[in-house]
Short mmCIF file of all heavy atoms in Angstrom, two decimals:
data_model
loop_
_atom_site.label_atom_id
_atom_site.label_comp_id
_atom_site.label_asym_id
_atom_site.label_seq_id
_atom_site.Cartn_x
_atom_site.Cartn_y
_atom_site.Cartn_z
N VAL A 4 1.84 2.22 -3.51
CA VAL A 4 0.76 2.90 -4.23
C VAL A 4 0.72 4.37 -3.82
O VAL A 4 0.60 5.26 -4.67
CB VAL A 4 -0.61 2.22 -3.97
CG1 VAL A 4 -1.75 3.04 -4.53
CG2 VAL A 4 -0.61 0.82 -4.53
N VAL A 8 1.22 7.69 -6.18
CA VAL A 8 0.19 8.74 -6.24
C VAL A 8 0.78 10.08 -5.80
O VAL A 8 0.47 11.13 -6.38
CB VAL A 8 -1.04 8.35 -5.38
CG1 VAL A 8 -2.01 9.50 -5.24
CG2 VAL A 8 -1.74 7.14 -5.99
N ILE A 43 -2.81 32.61 -23.79
CA ILE A 43 -2.99 32.61 -22.33
C ILE A 43 -4.07 33.61 -21.94
O ILE A 43 -4.90 33.35 -21.09
CB ILE A 43 -1.66 32.95 -21.62
CG1 ILE A 43 -0.60 31.89 -21.93
CG2 ILE A 43 -1.87 33.08 -20.12
CD1 ILE A 43 0.80 32.30 -21.50
N ARG A 124 -13.54 23.96 -22.02
CA ARG A 124 -14.21 24.26 -20.74
C ARG A 124 -14.25 23.02 -19.85
O ARG A 124 -13.92 23.08 -18.67
CB ARG A 124 -15.63 24.77 -21.02
CG ARG A 124 -16.39 25.14 -19.78
CD ARG A 124 -17.72 25.80 -20.12
NE ARG A 124 -18.36 26.25 -18.92
CZ ARG A 124 -19.59 25.92 -18.57
NH1 ARG A 124 -20.33 25.16 -19.36
NH2 ARG A 124 -20.11 26.35 -17.44
N VAL A 130 -9.34 18.99 -15.13
CA VAL A 130 -7.94 18.83 -14.74
C VAL A 130 -7.64 19.62 -13.46
O VAL A 130 -6.88 19.16 -12.60
CB VAL A 130 -6.98 19.17 -15.89
CG1 VAL A 130 -6.84 20.66 -16.11
CG2 VAL A 130 -5.62 18.54 -15.68
N LEU A 137 -6.74 15.45 -5.76
CA LEU A 137 -5.62 14.53 -5.53
C LEU A 137 -4.62 15.13 -4.55
O LEU A 137 -4.14 14.43 -3.65
CB LEU A 137 -4.94 14.21 -6.87
CG LEU A 137 -3.87 13.12 -6.84
CD1 LEU A 137 -4.49 11.77 -6.46
CD2 LEU A 137 -3.18 13.01 -8.20
N MET A 140 -6.07 14.88 -1.07
CA MET A 140 -6.02 13.48 -0.61
C MET A 140 -4.60 13.10 -0.18
O MET A 140 -4.40 12.51 0.88
CB MET A 140 -6.51 12.55 -1.71
CG MET A 140 -6.53 11.10 -1.30
SD MET A 140 -6.78 9.98 -2.68
CE MET A 140 -5.19 10.06 -3.48
#
Side-chain angles (χ1 to χ4, degrees):
V4 171
V8 171
I43 298 168
R124 181 173 185 234
V130 76
L137 188 64
M140 182 192 73

